[in-house]
């Protein structure tokens, strides 16, 4: 079983739609959680950290459920430029290694 | 300012050849990481340096893989006797003492 699991998609949505991605992680000792965005043939870039209380950054909302070991990302009012792969990332214990899911691909169509 | 740079951006190697991949981290960043990203997968950790010390090499897939950072700045990932399964994008990331990791553009290695 992979340490971080995501639905690979693709999610194909029209502009303006709201879309949600989920991710589960296997290690209950995981400490830190992130969403990264990766465009085709580019490097991953940090989108946002995920906090237990939930956090929002503009159109993006991230939530963490430690009891269920589940992380989510909600994108409201999707833009064409949101088309990318979204990677769920976990840091275990007091480690420094980023542990990535396989990514969820989002396609936003006009 | 300048980000993480990697060279070459693309490398084609015949099976059995040795390759060396270079990473120039952001100036002053103490921590440096190497990840391997296979097609359709997320990056996977290979190794970690704090300054010149290689503190974790648990992700290196075999003893054909070797990484160094002799002066605590530039790092080189060397793969000896390349195999087809080594084909992947090799990503380098740096961070100021284990905070956010900034990734370079990667080196796409194809072993034929």
């Amino acid at each position: 079983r992979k340490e971080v699991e995501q639905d690979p998609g693709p999610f194909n949505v029209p502009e303006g739609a709201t879309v949600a991605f989920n991710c589960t992680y296997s290690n209950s000792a995981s400490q830190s959680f992130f969403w990264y965005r990766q465009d085709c043939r580019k490097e991953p870039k940090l989108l946002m950290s995920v906090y237990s209380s939930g956090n929002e950054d503009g159109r993006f909302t991230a939530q963490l459920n430690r009891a269920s070991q589940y992380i989510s990302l909600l994108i409201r009012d999707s833009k064409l430029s949101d088309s990318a792969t979204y990677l769920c990332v976990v840091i275990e214990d007091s480690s420094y290694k980023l542990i990535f899911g396989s990514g969820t691909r989002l396609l936003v169509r006009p | 300012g300048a980000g993480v740079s990697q060279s070459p951006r693309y490398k084609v190697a015949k099976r059995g050849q040795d390759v060396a991949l270079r990473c120039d981290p952001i100036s002053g960043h103490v921590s440096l990481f190497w990840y391997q990203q296979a097609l359709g997968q997320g990056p996977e950790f290979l190794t970690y340096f704090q300054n010149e010390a290689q503190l974790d090499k648990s992700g290196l897939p075999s003893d054909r893989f070797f990484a160094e950072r002799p002066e605590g700045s530039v790092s080189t990932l060397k793969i000896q006797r390349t195999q087809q399964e080594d084909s992947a994008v090799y990503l380098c990331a740096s961070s100021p003492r284990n905070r956010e990791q900034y990734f370079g553009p990667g080196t796409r290695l194809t072993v034929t």
Side-chain angles (χ1 to χ4, degrees):
Chain A
R1 184 186 169 193
K2 285 185 65 95
E3 292 162 295
V4 180
E5 298 211 42
Q6 297 181 249
D7 180 344
F11 285 62
N12 191 324
V13 303
E15 266 187 294
T18 295
V19 61
F21 308 136
N22 303 321
C23 162
T24 56
Y25 59 95
S26 60
N27 187 339
S28 59
S30 297
Q31 294 286 327
S32 305
F33 309 89
F34 309 90
W35 284 100
Y36 274 69
R37 171 194 168 126
Q38 186 171 29
D39 292 287
C40 190
R41 294 183 169 262
K42 299 283 190 183
E43 70 272 23
K45 291 186 177 173
L46 180 64
L47 179 65
M48 58 197 302
S49 301
V50 187
Y51 303 114
S52 297
S53 52
N55 49 298
E56 192 173 301
D57 183 0
R59 298 181 292 108
F60 298 84
T61 300
Q63 293 202 308
L64 167 64
N65 183 322
R66 284 189 184 271
S68 303
Q69 294 178 207
Y70 169 99
I71 306 160
S72 66
L73 177 68
L74 183 79
I75 305 176
R76 289 182 299 279
D77 188 24
S78 300
K79 310 290 184 195
L80 295 177
S81 57
D82 293 335
S83 296
T85 296
Y86 291 83
L87 296 159
C88 178
V89 183
V90 164
I91 295 181
E92 297 183 337
D93 301 317
S94 56
S95 174
Y96 36 77
K97 293 183 261 195
L98 300 181
I99 299 173
F100 288 82
S102 296
T104 298
R105 192 158 166 233
L106 171 65
L107 301 171
V108 181
R109 63 180 188 271
Chain B
V4 178
S5 61
Q6 292 186 245
S7 60
R9 293 292 313 279
Y10 303 90
K11 176 70 180 177
V12 178
K14 288 191 192 312
R15 197 163 68 94
Q17 273 186 325
D18 297 350
V19 298
L21 313 180
R22 177 186 168 110
C23 172
D24 282 83
I26 294 171
S27 178
H29 279 194
V30 168
S31 301
L32 185 145
F33 304 82
W34 285 97
Y35 293 85
Q36 179 191 59
Q37 186 171 22
L39 190 63
Q41 300 297 314
E44 293 200 2
F45 171 81
L46 293 177
T47 187
Y48 159 62
F49 290 86
Q50 190 167 96
N51 296 305
E52 69 278 4
Q54 188 174 20
L55 298 187
D56 187 339
K57 53 182 182 179
S58 63
L60 296 176
S62 78
D63 59 9
R64 296 185 295 103
F65 286 71
F66 172 76
E68 59 184 6
R69 193 186 185 198
E71 296 175 2
S73 178
V74 170
S75 177
T76 304
L77 176 67
K78 296 179 180 176
I79 309 173
Q80 296 176 323
R81 304 181 304 281
T82 51
Q83 304 293 316
Q84 281 195 310
E85 62 263 28
D86 300 334
S87 295
V89 176
Y90 290 85
L91 293 161
C92 176
S94 70
S95 81
R97 203 171 285 282
N98 298 338
R99 295 179 65 85
E100 178 183 344
Q101 295 184 25
Y102 297 84
F103 283 83
T107 294
R108 183 174 297 274
L109 173 65
T110 303
V111 181
T112 60

